[in-house]
Amino acid sequence: YQRRVRGAPMDEYIFPKDLLYKIAPLQFLHVLNKNTNVVSVQVGPKTYRCKEEEKVVYGPSPLIVVPPGHYVVIENPVCRNKDGTISFTEQGQARLSHGDQEIRLEQDPFPLYPGEKLSGRIEPLKVVAPNTALRLQASRDFVDKNGTKYIAGQDWLFHGPGTYIPRKEVRVVHVVKSVVIGPNQALRLRARKDFIDRKKKSRFAGEEWLVRDLGAYLPDVDEIVVRTVNAHILTEKKALHLLATHTFTDAYGKRRKAGEEWLITSKHSETHIPDIYEQVCNEVNIITLTKRQYCIVDNPIARRFEKAEEDEDMDCLLYTSPSPRDRQKSR
């Protein structure tokens, strides 16, 4: 090194710019040793003087600061010992997990070791609201801190309210929102695969069923929401013509066979939500006959008539039979 003036004090020595680095607080740089090909990390605040065999290859750059409620993904992270310290080789080079990732949460500012890279930006943690959930999928096999084993491709839900802490083995598929079931409504669901629902009932893949419970309903991970089914309002002058597409037991406890047709009137219920195996053919209006009218009905349904104790002047009310061949004529 050269002096400006002979006899000048030591602080007036002139150092080449490529040998003297002033590292500010919250900054770091990478120094390469040309003899050993080992890259070391120098963290400020300090003034670093490079040796003849050393060369700065990166920096000075700011430390990575992860604020509260945020996270960052690091590619090729350093390996750590059991006590959490960084693992180094005998030459002093930090060991890396090449091709792997590490998710780092709120912590003290830290430098990037040689080979480490930021994947994207510092992102806020996902806050899951009430009556919503995150659909998660495992990208590889792992065991969580509770001892639960997950297999690659397995899906599950993270229910809110809460803050989701990401993992490198898990990816977020999408947000699942609850569906509000109001009065006179039902939710039609379909099973993705064989599973046991929340009411401990076995469901097979492709099966459909109705949920009639009022309030917010959050579909399970193996449930697909088909649509919301609205009820039909039944009055004294309107009935519902139904057709069974499959043999089943209806909501009133009666066994129905495939192809069977029947009427649902206000005597059964004020409202009716069609079941999975019920097809609504049409709404049937009542036929009103006065004491001066009569009608002829083809293919009448056999009924057991009882003697009515009604006034002779009262009008006669009847529904047509739910048969495609029925015809009526009023005079």
Side-chain angles (χ1 to χ4, degrees), residues 34-246:
K34 299 179 183 178
N35 294 336
T36 60
N37 286 327
V38 173
V39 180
S40 61
V41 178
Q42 302 296 330
V43 181
K46 68 165 60 174
T47 299
Y48 185 78
R49 296 175 181 175
C50 290
K51 300 177 182 179
E52 293 183 359
E53 69 274 11
E54 292 180 338
K55 178 182 178 182
V56 174
V57 293
Y58 181 78
S61 295
L63 297 177
I64 308 301
V65 179
V66 182
H70 290 68
Y71 73 98
V72 67
V73 181
I74 305 296
E75 294 184 358
N76 306 321
V78 293
C79 299
R80 298 185 181 274
N81 300 318
K82 294 182 179 180
D83 57 358
T85 59
I86 298 176
S87 176
F88 293 92
T89 62
E90 296 179 355
Q91 295 77 19
Q93 182 74 46
R95 291 189 174 92
L96 301 179
S97 297
H98 294 281
D100 201 357
Q101 290 183 336
E102 181 182 351
I103 295 177
R104 298 180 185 176
L105 305 175
E106 173 191 358
Q107 56 183 283
D108 295 333
F110 59 90
L112 290 177
Y113 279 81
E116 289 185 325
K117 293 187 297 182
L118 282 179
S119 177
R121 300 180 297 177
I122 299 175
E123 300 286 347
L125 295 174
K126 291 182 174 61
V127 178
V128 185
N131 295 328
T132 60
L134 292 179
R135 185 182 181 90
L136 307 177
Q137 186 179 76
S139 57
R140 51 178 155 171
D141 299 350
F142 74 98
V143 179
D144 65 5
K145 60 181 180 181
N146 298 324
T148 305
K149 185 176 180 181
Y150 294 92
I151 304 174
Q154 181 179 353
D155 293 352
W156 69 97
L157 294 181
F158 176 83
H159 295 269
T163 302
Y164 172 69
I165 306 300
R167 294 182 59 105
K168 64 181 180 180
E169 305 92 351
V170 181
R171 71 180 187 93
V172 177
V173 181
H174 58 80
V175 177
V176 181
K177 296 183 179 180
S178 61
V179 181
V180 177
I181 304 176
N184 297 327
Q185 284 186 334
L187 197 62
R188 184 166 182 164
L189 302 177
R190 181 186 300 125
R192 296 178 184 270
K193 60 178 183 180
D194 298 349
F195 77 105
I196 300 176
D197 63 10
R198 62 189 64 182
K199 293 185 178 180
K200 307 303 180 181
K201 187 174 182 179
S202 299
R203 304 290 183 181
F204 57 86
E207 180 184 357
E208 295 186 1
W209 68 98
L210 294 180
V211 176
R212 304 172 186 264
D213 301 331
L214 297 179
Y217 183 85
L218 188 63
D220 200 358
V221 65
D222 296 318
E223 295 175 349
I224 302 175
V225 177
V226 179
R227 60 186 175 91
T228 300
V229 182
N230 295 317
H232 293 264
I233 308 298
L234 303 177
T235 65
E236 295 179 353
K237 296 185 178 182
K238 185 173 67 174
L240 207 59
H241 178 187
L242 301 179
L243 170 67
T245 59
H246 192 275

